[in-house]
Amino acid sequence: MAIAVLFQLIATLVVAGLAAIWGGADAALSAVLGGMACGVPNALFAARLHIEARRPGGATAWGFFAGEFVKVVTTVALLVLVAHNYRGLNWLALIIGVIVALKSYFLMFVFVRR
């Protein structure tokens, strides 16, 4: 799970770099905020799942789905918070940052061999 979070971070930084070239500092920050709105809840979910799996009895389906629900709600809340508080928001860069962070899992299948 940690490798998935790492790929989200790398993909977000690549998109932010491209957004900086294309649209300047506001676009780069918007892309970072979009990617982090997905990456931070995902990292917290991964940490919670890792801790739960080490407890006696292991992880449960209920714990997984409750964590997933909290992750989705947190992602939406962070996006709303960014939209309300960042005046220089570049919506296109934010949405691309979110999409790339969400789809970065596919990069793992290309680059990670087990």
Side-chain angles (χ1 to χ4, degrees):
M1 205 61 177
I3 192 102
V5 174
L6 179 65
F7 267 93
Q8 276 188 319
L9 177 63
I10 292 168
T12 297
L13 292 176
V14 168
V15 167
L18 294 173
I21 293 168
W22 170 67
D26 283 335
L29 184 55
S30 297
V32 167
L33 291 172
M36 290 298 103
C38 296
V40 170
N42 195 40
L44 295 173
F45 173 68
R48 181 186 178 281
L49 195 60
H50 179 74
I51 291 168
E52 186 177 327
R54 296 201 178 274
R55 281 194 271 171
T60 62
W62 171 251
F64 177 83
F65 287 117
E68 189 67 29
F69 176 76
V70 170
K71 182 177 89 169
V72 170
V73 169
T74 305
T75 300
V76 171
L78 287 172
L79 289 171
V80 168
L81 187 67
V82 167
H84 278 275
N85 292 315
Y86 183 37
R87 298 286 178 213
L89 183 63
N90 182 319
W91 281 97
L92 181 61
L94 178 85
I95 291 170
I96 290 172
V98 168
I99 291 170
V100 169
L102 290 174
K103 298 302 177 187
S104 65
Y105 294 110
F106 293 113
L107 294 175
M108 287 188 340
F109 296 124
V110 174
F111 294 110
V112 177
R113 303 274 187 229
R114 293 225 178 207

